Amino acid sequence: MSAILSVDDLNDFISPGVACIKPIETLPTAPPPPQNGAADPLEHEVVLDGAPTSSAPGAAAPAQISLTDCLACSGCVTSAEAVLVSLQSHNEVLSVLDGAPALQLQGPNPSGTYTVSGLENPASKFFVASVSPQTRASLAAACGHGVTSEQAGRMIEHLFMSEAGLAGGGKHNNGFTWMVDTNTAREACLVLGSDEVLSGSTAKPATPVLTSSCPGWVCYAEKAHPYVLPHLSRVKSPQALMGTLLKTTLSRLLGIPPDRIWHLAIMPCFDKKLEASREELTDSIWAGDGNPGRGVRDVDCVITSKEILMLAASRGIDFFSLSKSALPQRQPAFPDPALHRFLFPSSKTHKQQRAAGTSGGNLHYILQDVRARHPGSQIQTVRGRNADVVDYAVVASSGETVFKAARYYGFRNIQNLVRKLKPAKASRMPGGKSFGSAKRPAGKAASLEYAYVEVMACPGGCTNGGGQIKVDDQVIIDRKGLPDKPGPVEQKSWLAEVDEAYFSADEPDTAVDSDADPGDNPDNVDGIYPSRVRGALEHWSSLTGISLDKLVYTSYREVISDVGKSQVTDTERVVQLAGKIGGGW
Amino acid sequence: MTTTTTPPPIITPLPAFQPDLYQRAWASIPHPTLPLLATPHATSVTIFSLATLSKHSTLTGGHERSVRTVAWQPGARANQPRLVTGSFDATAGLWSYDGSKEKGALEKEVKFSGKDGGEGEEEEEEDWEFNLVLEGHENEVKSVAFSPSGQYLATSSRDKSVWIWEDMGGSDDDGGEWETVTVLNEHEGDVKAVAWCPDVAGRASLKGRYSADVLASASYDNTVRIWREDSDGEWVCVSVLEGHEATVWGIQWEPKPREGKFPRLLTHSADKTVRLWTLRQEEEDEVEEPSRNPWGAIPNTMRRELKEEWVCTDVFPQVHSRDVYSAAWSADSGMVASAGSDGIIALYAEDATQQEDAQMGQGANGAVPPTSRWKVLGTVSDGHGPYEINHITWCKRFDPGTERKGEEEMLVTTGDDGVVRPWQVRIP
């Protein structure tokens, strides 16, 4: 998978390798053919042993590695992950907050519009943040004593928006103007995702459609298994969708360029930082030529659940003593009432079904949608070789299976999935058997009958993400009185606590029976109203004047790397020679 | 220097396997039952016949880079041996040999037969078929090993991970169907070797806490890790063996453990030592029976984790002056042989003079208390001239020079000179 920029070592995550793909990425857009058979100058861009090669032309710019480049790389020559991660960290948040006085929301004006003040200072930014439900669950579990996710959410709001938090200090007493819940964007992604799978349109991805909201999975697929890219759902992840929403609407409604808006997302994993730096998720897509490029990011910075505590501590705030009640002032009205209703729903977000899992519930929603379209059908579940592989089937009352899907979490299970999707390689020897994991051409693909597979990198789902607070973090050991080295037993019970906080987000236990039919009503799928969501999306598109395609869909690209391939580079030649002389290792 | 009273055993070189490979050879792995020896070198594997001490067949064309490791698949039919190769091209390959196939039937590349000289079984070099590629490792595969039943295959790589694959069945024609069971990422460096505990009495875990299979892995990070499958079907690291001061090049489980004892683990390292590790078993029993605890049930938070404790109980007398690349423990005689970069072959035996229980008075297989010591029985210098010795193994003899075919054991060393040499070992 991508460089899992996690400080911790976790079992099922993929650790970085040594090869850097940077030389390939710096191909100039109009590559001049090498003159007089001179060696391709790009091979010498990243020098492994420190000595510049003699034939490197002076025109070769020094290699610069940014977080964007390392997006799909499995590792870096410098291994300076700490440097890369620090570009998006709680320190970055603090330094941006200290950069200049924030732009202030002004309005509504008599005409009903909103503006901002403070634009004279070119460094001033307008601060907005979005928080994931997994983060709230993680902090709720860390608080302990029965604190709910909703209460934890309010504590976060205090931290980011009130004077008890960040706005009480720093150079400019800057806080955030809005703090939104990514659950709202998630519901939109669910509806879009289901429409994508169940629509008969030819523009949909190849079957089986694979979830693409997990950046660890996406980066791994781009780098190691590009043949699955046509299968990836084109719908953006909730983080990305929220980013596009905030930037497009606020820039339009407030009359400011998107680079004046600084959007912070708080997420359960480090890979979301890499997702935020994708060129596919910038304003090049919706304000530029429509192609990925180095534009203004939809999400400027991502910090993890763990980093919330570090952020608070850096300012001398004890997170756990922040108030759990609502902010004294409610969040200001969003400049557009329809969007305000979308972002801040008055009725509580419907309670998450446990069957949906903690990673967004894409598969669960689609199954419910299929069931709503086939009245009287049932969902059958079959567990696979471990808890992270599950097969699902929607069976009509007639007994006919109308839909097959599955869930594959974790690297080892993803291996088995991608192996089944791999196209058969042509046989190397005439007349001999075909190599590769597919034995017969097209034979293997047919056996994978799923229409949809939810793929997630982290076993156990996003509540077990790399950036969540861990059972062996000192703060948890202290607060829970755990032994010095918590083992698998404590780990499992900690995860159960986080999951419990995730699923019981609201205080009064409005027991929602997951088997109770909300009527076989296609307009209420699992508590979500697709028509309302579609209406909100249309409104968004017309408000901004940007086509919905550009707002909600994204694309993927194969990362080409010649490392390890048969084309022999200078480096490889040296390695081979060294091997012959008598080295070998 | 030996301190036994008997004169040193004689380690005598026998004629090398023919032909010379003229390429660095990495290992020689004897088949568990058939008189065959598999030697990877460059991008191929040569199979030698132990009956004739000459080439039997070759495996070629399946890998793009150096093949470093092979393992015979247990449970395959006698006339259809199968093996797995591990290569620097980051893949593992499954191969099968059909001894009953007619020669020359629809075969692929034309190879010059040259002087193959394989009698007995088929001489046709192209009878090994490349059935299946296992991909997934990010870079060079260093070691492959089958679990005793053949159900699991472990592969390890420079990418610091150990993968466990499971044979899901599937027709023989296609090489079967393999799935990834788990990917173990806890080593901090290149994983040089993996080895499964053989199916011996004493292997079964206490109270069924884990399944029977145990895997050990040795790494550039100077440690050995032990892995077991818990009741949830998850593979976990149950112990980290620390003590070596440099890369651990390999491991072998005790092929014939002492009665009632868990097999010990033999390790050898770039720190020039050979060591033996023993599982602490008594303590486990204590934890298992909380009802015996006079203080009542052990509270949950203080319950010992599902871990094992391994202790280094022996460090073999120092013989090597450089990395010990390989060591082999004989099931029959209990002797250990080691070889390495310095070209020295050393032979050790467990000292049976300090026995407390006089259960069985024979050699190193008797019940010996943990205070046993190992003695050097003899050494050979420059076993492959100035070349490094990459591998040493015990191997049953089937050649005309023995009167006990299939019973007498010899050593086989494999060196950088491309020579695979058998050594007669006779203790006078």
Side-chain angles (χ1 to χ4, degrees), chain A residues 10-18 74 383 385-386 411-412 415-416 419-420 422 425 428-430 432-437 439-440 444 483 487-490 492 566 575 579-580 582-585, chain B residues 24 60-62 64-65 68 88 108-109 129-133 135-136 138 142 158-160 163 165-166 168 173-174 176-183 185-186 192 230 232-234 300-301 303 305:
Chain A
L10 291 152
N11 268 345
D12 209 18
F13 302 154
I14 301 161
S15 41
V18 189
S74 73
R383 202 190 102 145
R385 67 172 310 124
N386 55 60
F411 181 56
R412 59 181 172 171
Q415 287 306 304
N416 295 327
R419 195 168 302 122
K420 290 181 203 167
K422 192 167 178 148
K425 270 193 260 189
R428 208 184 302 194
M429 302 206 222
K433 298 252 160 62
S434 64
F435 293 164
S437 13
K439 322 297 177 307
R440 284 171 282 267
K444 269 301 156 210
V489 175
E490 282 86 11
K492 280 186 188 168
S566 48
V575 163
K580 288 190 166 82
W585 52 88
Chain B
R24 282 222 289 282
T60 53
E64 291 172 358
R65 291 183 65 189
R68 287 301 177 105
F88 271 27
K108 310 122 189 191
E109 293 165 314
E129 256 184 54
F130 189 34
N131 296 127
L132 183 63
V133 175
E135 293 176 314
E138 285 186 45
K142 299 295 177 102
R158 180 169 70 80
D159 66 10
K160 308 178 200 168
W163 289 46
W165 310 77
E166 183 171 5
M168 305 304 294
D173 282 340
D174 296 330
E177 175 101 33
W178 289 76
E179 274 197 359
T180 307
V181 173
T182 188
V183 175
N185 271 312
E186 293 184 42
K192 301 289 190 186
D230 71 12
D232 289 336
E234 301 293 328
N300 221 8
T301 52
R303 183 153 65 88
E305 289 316 316

Side-chain angles (χ1 to χ4, degrees), chain B residues 205-206 209-210 214 226 228 237-240 253 262 279-280 284 304-310:
Chain B
S205 80
L206 301 158
R209 200 192 250 166
Y210 299 110
V214 195
I226 312 282
R228 302 198 75 150
C237 175
V238 296
S239 192
V240 180
W253 293 90
F262 198 85
L279 171 67
R280 276 253 175 87
E284 292 228 43
R304 177 194 287 267
E305 289 316 316
L306 309 175
K307 297 274 185 202
E308 300 182 342
E309 194 180 346
W310 284 77

Side-chain angles (χ1 to χ4, degrees), chain A residues 470-537:
Chain A
K470 296 294 172 198
V471 69
D472 54 5
D473 279 348
Q474 198 58 46
V475 62
I476 302 299
I477 292 178
D478 291 343
R479 287 180 74 86
K480 307 265 180 200
L482 295 177
D484 266 339
K485 277 198 184 165
V489 175
E490 282 86 11
Q491 159 86 329
K492 280 186 188 168
S493 83
W494 169 249
L495 285 175
E497 272 186 60
V498 181
D499 282 353
E500 180 64 37
Y502 181 85
F503 288 116
S504 45
D506 319 332
E507 287 139 352
D509 238 64
T510 43
V512 175
D513 188 351
S514 59
D515 283 338
D517 263 329
D520 289 320
N521 174 9
D523 206 53
N524 177 339
V525 180
D526 203 36
I528 299 174
Y529 294 85
S531 54
R532 288 190 206 162
V533 169
R534 288 188 202 112
L537 293 172

